Every structure is written in C-alpha cells, then in structure tokens.
Amino acid sequence: MADVIDSLKIEVESSASKADDSLKTLVSNLDALSNSLGKVKTNKKTQNVQDAHEGIRPTSINRTPEEVKKFLSNDEYKLYRMIYTRALASLMKSATTINTTVVLDNNNYQFKATGQVIDFDGYLKVYSDYEETKDKVLPPLDTYNSKILVSKEINKEQHFTEPPARYTEAKLIKEMEELGIGRPSTYATTMDIIKKRGYANLVEKKFVPTETGFEITDKLQEFFSHLINVKYTANMETDLDKIAEGNEDFVKVLTNFYKDFEPSVLNAFKEMPKKEAEKTGEDCPNCGSPLVIRKGKYGVFTACSNYPKCKYIKQEEKAVVEVCDCPNCGGKIIEKRSKRGKIFYGCNNYPNCKEAYWDKPTGEKCPECGSMLTEKKNTIKCSNCDYKK
C-alpha cells in the first residue's frame, strides 16, 4: 500500500491543492464526469485547523483501483478504492436535487408531504457507493382531474420531541473542527482522555457522560467559565498560531493568561466545597486513620484519609494470569505490566530468574534453536531466531 497512497506531513498546503492539477486533468478527460468538475473545497470555518496532518491521497491519480487490484489484497484494494474515490469526489461539484412539498388541507388541519429527486449527480457520479442517496418520488398530482385526494390508507404515528443525538467520536471531532478548537494531531488524544479518565463512556459508539463528568463540568463552569469555553479556546488557538508564525510575543500571551488564571485557581481552592470522601470501613495500617475511596486520573483507589501526612495507598491484589512453565528455572511465566502500562510476560521468580517476553509465549519450543515460541497477531514465531510456525 505504501506505493499507491501517500500521507502528507506538512503544515501549510493541503493534499487537495497538491493533487489539484492531476485530478482535474483526469476528471476533464472523462466525458461522463466533465460536467461534474468543481473547485477544491476549502474549510471556511476552521482556519486554525492544520488538515494536512490527515492528508491521505493516491500517489498517482492515474493508478486507478482496477489497474492496481492485482497487486493488492482484497482489504487493501477496498481501502485504496475508497481513498482514490474520495480524492476524485473532492474536486467535483455538489449534487443538486429538486425538492417538492405538497400541503394538503383537511378540516382545518394541514398535512405535508415532501419529495426529492436528484437533478444533477455531481460528486455522486463516483461516490454513490459510499453515500446513501434515494429518490423520494411523489405522484404526479398535476395530472389529477380533481383537487380532492381520497386516501386509501391512513397510518397514525405519534412523535415526541427528542433531545439532540449524543456525540459519537467522529461527530465530536467534526464539531470541534467547525468550532475551530483542537487540531487533527490532538483529536485522538482528546478522545482517549475522555474515556480513560471516566468523564464519559462509549455506549453503542456514543459518548454517555458519567457522574464524574457531570460533576467536574459543573465545578469548572462555576469557577472557570471565563477560561473554559469554546470562544476562549478558539482564541487561544489563534494566539498560539501567531506565536508559531512569529507575529505574537509568547511572554505577553502567557502573562495575559496567567493574570486571569492564577486568581481563579486561588478562589477555587478557597470557595469550592470539598466533597467528603467515601469511607471503606477499614483503618490505615500505618497511622490508624480511616481508609477512603479516592479518584485519580488513572481511576479509583483506596488511600489514607490523613493525606498528606500519611501517604498510604492500599495495593489491590491482582489476579495472577499464568501462561506457561518457565523454560529457565521451572517457575511460571505470568502476565505483567511495565512501568508504562504495557503488557509483557515474565517469570514469577523474578529477580532470581529474569526470563521475559514482549509477545505471549505458547509453551512450545522452537524446533530449530530450542527457544520459546511466542504468538503475536495470530502468528507463532520463535523468540530468538527467524522460525515461523
């Protein structure tokens, strides 16, 4: 795939403009598409957004999906076809539709019916496989002999006003982009923090705020509403861009920020009511104070209520996951975590035995060198030589 697509890593010029000439030439040469050629779309609302981070395009627009299909796997072909088609569609005109609305009067009540027919395909000429479009055709009412319509069947449905749909990850990113906050290089991290810190849970691919999320939002809005809001964040993004371009003094920007931020923090420490921690019913083994449940950025934990004088934290016993016998000392290879949270597999007799693997060991030995076989992404290979099972 590396030879047929390209991911641009530049800050200024978008991938659409880079591929503009070659794409236009191709579209213009296709009779069926020539009338659909339009201008490259530019983002009017989000001048701060550095979209080039996400600029994936074909390395050559002349390499059609059909021509390179024989060199790609089925999944690679589907991915390349989508990227290729998207790049082509981005230069084509918008589709236009003819919309018809019919209003029917019945005993002082009005009933409305709407219809839609695609008048001009535009970008849908090439992109219809990825975007659902259906004509909704109304009957030819102008050919009726009477202005009175007789219903054949009446279906009664009751609708209630519903709140706005919850955000999915994609919809939240789009909203941030339209508001001019955040950057493509930080969107994934932002989504990850929301989930990891328990501000919201993903339920059926939609963010559902947790009690922690509601509580933190309420307190931040109470004490920091002038700093934590969409307009302030967008303006800060603009100031950071000016600093990067050399058009603004970073010391001045930070000074102005800190003049607002420092007194707000001091006021929050003074005025924000402290929430009493939930007691567990146990006493601290170090000082005898009650143990309480606290929340940190890595989750819930049990600690001494006498903090910071006593910094005792209860270590929860974790279930030991045994994988296989240690080939070095006869102990057990168990699942462990590194300081950075990455899973690895090591001997339970550490530090006397330092046998360890990043990939999950199978318990079998390599027929060529006798070392442990490990498994990664459904592939079993030797931990020491090039043997693959």
Side-chain angles (χ1 to χ4, degrees):
M1 285 292 286
D3 294 332
V4 293
I5 63 172
D6 180 24
S7 179
L8 301 180
K9 298 295 183 183
I10 56 177
E11 296 289 344
V12 180
E13 198 169 6
S14 70
S15 64
S17 60
K18 293 284 285 184
D20 189 10
D21 293 336
S22 58
L23 281 167
K24 283 188 174 181
T25 301
L26 176 67
V27 176
S28 298
N29 289 337
L30 299 175
D31 292 337
L33 302 180
S34 58
N35 292 329
S36 302
L37 180 62
K39 295 181 179 179
V40 179
K41 294 181 179 66
T42 56
N43 201 327
K44 297 179 181 179
K45 295 184 179 180
T46 54
Q47 57 183 4
N48 295 348
V49 175
Q50 300 170 356
D51 59 341
H53 281 295
E54 310 300 324
I56 299 176
R57 58 163 184 161
T59 52
S60 172
I61 202 64
N62 295 318
R63 292 176 176 170
T64 64
E66 288 70 27
E67 289 180 356
V68 301
K69 185 176 182 180
K70 58 185 176 182
F71 303 109
L72 305 174
S73 68
N74 188 44
D75 288 341
E76 289 173 340
Y77 166 72
K78 290 178 181 178
L79 177 60
Y80 179 69
R81 182 171 178 268
M82 181 177 66
I83 294 171
Y84 182 94
T85 306
R86 180 84 178 192
L88 201 60
S90 68
L91 286 176
M92 299 173 72
K93 293 178 182 176
S94 299
T96 59
T97 59
I98 298 175
N99 299 316
T100 304
T101 301
V102 177
V103 179
L104 304 173
D105 289 315
N106 185 1
N107 295 326
N108 296 324
Y109 288 97
Q110 288 189 333
F111 298 87
K112 184 169 69 173
T114 57
Q116 175 180 287
V117 177
I118 295 177
D119 179 51
F120 174 68
D121 287 347
Y123 74 96
L124 292 175
K125 184 81 74 174
V126 297
Y127 204 65
S128 57
D129 288 347
Y130 302 99
E131 190 166 313
E132 186 177 354
T133 55
K134 289 183 180 180
D135 288 344
K136 188 177 180 182
V137 182
L138 293 176
L141 301 179
D142 55 339
T143 62
Y144 279 36
N145 295 326
S146 171
K147 290 186 177 181
I148 298 176
L149 303 180
V150 179
S151 60
K152 292 182 179 179
E153 182 181 0
I154 297 178
N155 296 318
K156 184 173 68 173
E157 292 183 5
Q158 186 175 12
H159 295 275
F160 296 94
T161 302
E162 295 183 354
R166 293 191 182 278
Y167 285 109
T168 61
E169 289 192 31
K171 190 176 178 182
L172 182 55
I173 289 173
K174 183 179 179 182
E175 181 76 7
M176 292 171 64
E177 192 176 38
E178 290 180 350
L179 293 171
I181 59 177
R183 297 167 187 252
S185 57
T186 63
Y187 289 151
T189 305
T190 302
M191 300 301 113
D192 197 42
I193 288 175
I194 290 173
K195 292 179 286 187
K196 276 188 175 180
R197 296 191 181 176
Y199 301 150
N201 296 322
L202 271 183
V203 179
E204 296 180 355
K205 298 183 178 180
K206 295 178 181 178
F207 279 118
V208 178
T210 62
E211 184 180 344
T212 300
F214 279 120
E215 188 176 352
I216 289 177
T217 300
D218 290 343
K219 294 301 178 184
L220 288 177
Q221 287 304 302
E222 183 179 349
F223 292 93
F224 298 95
S225 59
H226 60 298
L227 294 173
I228 301 178
N229 59 71
V230 170
K231 185 177 179 181
Y232 187 91
T233 305
N235 290 337
M236 179 59 74
E237 294 274 6
T238 302
D239 288 340
L240 293 175
D241 283 336
K242 289 179 180 178
I243 292 171
E245 294 164 0
N247 297 326
E248 187 64 85
D249 179 22
F250 78 93
V251 175
K252 178 183 176 183
V253 172
L254 288 175
T255 301
N256 291 337
F257 165 75
Y258 211 71
K259 283 180 180 178
D260 283 340
F261 181 68
E262 185 181 27
S264 298
V265 171
L266 294 175
N267 179 59
F269 273 117
K270 182 180 177 181
E271 302 294 336
M272 187 181 294
K274 301 294 187 292
K275 184 178 179 180
E276 188 175 345
E278 180 184 350
K279 295 181 180 180
T280 65
E282 302 175 84
D283 292 331
C284 174
N286 291 352
C287 69
S289 300
L291 293 182
V292 294
I293 296 174
R294 298 191 182 278
K295 292 180 181 178
K297 66 178 182 178
Y298 297 112
V300 177
F301 63 97
T302 302
C304 181
S305 59
N306 198 26
Y307 179 85
K309 292 182 179 179
C310 177
K311 298 183 179 180
Y312 172 78
I313 296 176
K314 183 178 180 181
Q315 300 298 321
E316 302 292 340
E317 293 185 8
K318 297 180 180 179
V320 177
V321 179
E322 294 185 356
V323 179
C324 63
D325 293 331
C326 176
N328 188 38
C329 69
K332 294 291 183 181
I333 299 293
I334 61 174
E335 187 177 292
K336 297 184 176 184
R337 283 189 180 271
S338 67
K339 291 181 179 179
R340 295 188 177 183
K342 186 176 180 181
I343 294 176
F344 73 100
Y345 304 89
C347 183
N348 62 352
N349 287 330
Y350 179 85
N352 294 326
C353 177
K354 297 183 179 180
E355 193 76 13
Y357 311 90
W358 284 116
D359 299 329
K360 187 176 182 179
T362 64
E364 302 177 71
K365 291 187 177 181
C366 174
E368 294 185 3
C369 70
S371 299
M372 178 72 76
L373 293 181
T374 59
E375 181 180 359
K376 183 179 182 180
K377 295 182 179 179
N378 298 322
T379 300
I380 296 177
K381 59 181 181 179
C382 180
S383 59
N384 184 49
C385 69
D386 295 331
Y387 170 79
K388 288 185 179 181
K389 189 173 180 181

